């Protein structure tokens, strides 16, 4: 088979090989689109196990596509709670592949991390999402609706961190100005 494949490639030339590669990409793209539609239908039908299988198939065909990694991670976090760690990994991969765009994936990663008790990691993800959103809003002269929501989410997370830390709470009771985290919360809420 190997020798026949080489001879076939020589006969086709570079243009023929490129056409075959494009056909395979088109087949994969069509298969991915088909699986995505099936996953959405399965979700609407409360068939989460089936949807999980369809998303797994998508990620197997496109393992470095941040859009699909984000979609799969979000699905797992939302509908398959026992796979939250896997959800976090897919969301992190999506963030790593596109670290300067798509604030939503960072904000959602932050929410999932916070729900898993990983507040400091959640804070870092949310801060990245807020910074991306600020850049996007500046570039588009946007009205900032999403930024307001993101700032409030980050402020809420920080307030939770303050509440959960006894030393911070003691400092808060002693003097609100003695706690820089509280000042940051106030600043975020003012910006919102």
């Amino acid at each position: 088979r190997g020798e026949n494949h080489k001879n076939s490639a020589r006969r086709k030339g570079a243009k023929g090989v490129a056409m075959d590669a494009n056909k395979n990409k088109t087949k994969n793209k069509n298969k991915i689109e088909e699986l995505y539609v099936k996953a959405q239908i399965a979700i609407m039908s409360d068939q989460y196990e089936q949807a999980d299988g369809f998303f797994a198939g998508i990620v197997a065909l496109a393992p470095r596509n941040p859009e699909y990694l984000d979609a799969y991670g979000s699905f797992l976090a939302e509908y398959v709670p026992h796979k939250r760690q896997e959800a976090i990994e897919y969301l992190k991969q999506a963030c790593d592949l596109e670290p300067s765009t798509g604030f939503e994936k960072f904000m959602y990663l932050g929410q999932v991390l916070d729900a898993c008790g990983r507040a400091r990691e959640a804070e870092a993800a949310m801060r990245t999402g807020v910074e991306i959103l600020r850049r996007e809003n500046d570039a588009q002269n946007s009205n900032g609706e999403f930024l307001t929501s993101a700032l409030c989410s980050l402020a809420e997370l920080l307030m939770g961190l303050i509440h959960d830390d006894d030393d911070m709470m003691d400092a808060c009771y002693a003097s609100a100005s003695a706690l820089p985290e509280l000042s940051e919360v106030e600043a975020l809420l003012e910006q919102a």
Side-chain angles (χ1 to χ4, degrees), residues 103 107 111 114 122-123 126-127 129-131 133-134 144-161 181 184-192:
F103 75 93
M107 297 304 293
Q111 290 175 346
D114 188 40
E123 177 187 356
M126 286 185 167
R127 285 186 187 281
V130 165
E131 288 310 310
L133 192 49
R134 281 187 172 141
E145 194 175 310
F146 291 119
L147 182 57
T148 297
S149 178
L151 290 169
C152 288
S153 293
L154 181 55
E156 181 181 7
L157 177 76
L158 292 175
M159 288 186 328
L161 286 170
E181 289 85 354
E184 184 179 7
V185 168
E186 289 172 353
L188 287 168
L189 293 174
E190 283 178 20
Q191 292 170 35

Side-chain angles (χ1 to χ4, degrees), residues 71-93:
Y72 191 21
S74 297
F75 161 76
L76 289 173
E78 189 78 22
Y79 297 102
V80 191
H82 69 277
K83 288 190 172 185
R84 281 234 170 95
Q85 186 54 47
E86 197 174 332
I88 289 168
E89 293 309 314
Y90 284 119
L91 290 167
K92 280 184 175 182
Q93 285 176 39

Side-chain angles (χ1 to χ4, degrees), residues 34-184:
E34 177 187 329
L35 289 170
Y36 191 78
V37 168
K38 286 180 176 182
Q40 295 304 313
I41 291 169
I43 291 169
M44 287 186 272
S45 303
D46 296 332
Q47 301 295 317
Y48 304 127
E49 219 172 282
Q50 268 189 329
D52 189 2
F54 293 135
F55 275 117
I58 292 168
V59 170
L61 291 170
R64 298 197 42 82
N65 183 306
E67 182 181 340
Y68 298 130
L69 293 166
D70 181 15
Y72 191 21
S74 297
F75 161 76
L76 289 173
E78 189 78 22
Y79 297 102
V80 191
H82 69 277
K83 288 190 172 185
R84 281 234 170 95
Q85 186 54 47
E86 197 174 332
I88 289 168
E89 293 309 314
Y90 284 119
L91 290 167
K92 280 184 175 182
Q93 285 176 39
C95 291
D96 289 345
L97 288 167
E98 283 188 342
S100 58
T101 60
F103 75 93
E104 300 94 339
K105 65 183 174 280
F106 287 94
M107 297 304 293
Y108 197 63
L109 174 60
Q111 290 175 346
V112 176
L113 285 164
D114 188 40
C116 291
R118 296 163 63 179
R120 289 295 177 190
E121 290 175 81
E123 177 187 356
M126 286 185 167
R127 285 186 187 281
T128 302
V130 165
E131 288 310 310
I132 290 168
L133 192 49
R134 281 187 172 141
R135 282 194 307 271
E136 289 175 1
N137 277 349
D138 289 346
Q140 299 171 1
N141 291 324
S142 178
N143 65 10
E145 194 175 310
F146 291 119
L147 182 57
T148 297
S149 178
L151 290 169
C152 288
S153 293
L154 181 55
E156 181 181 7
L157 177 76
L158 292 175
M159 288 186 328
L161 286 170
I162 292 168
H163 181 268
D164 292 344
D165 186 313
D166 290 338
D167 292 335
M168 284 190 198
M169 284 302 291
D170 291 343
C172 202
Y173 288 126
S175 168
S177 63
L179 191 62
E181 289 85 354
L182 191 57
S183 297
E184 184 179 7

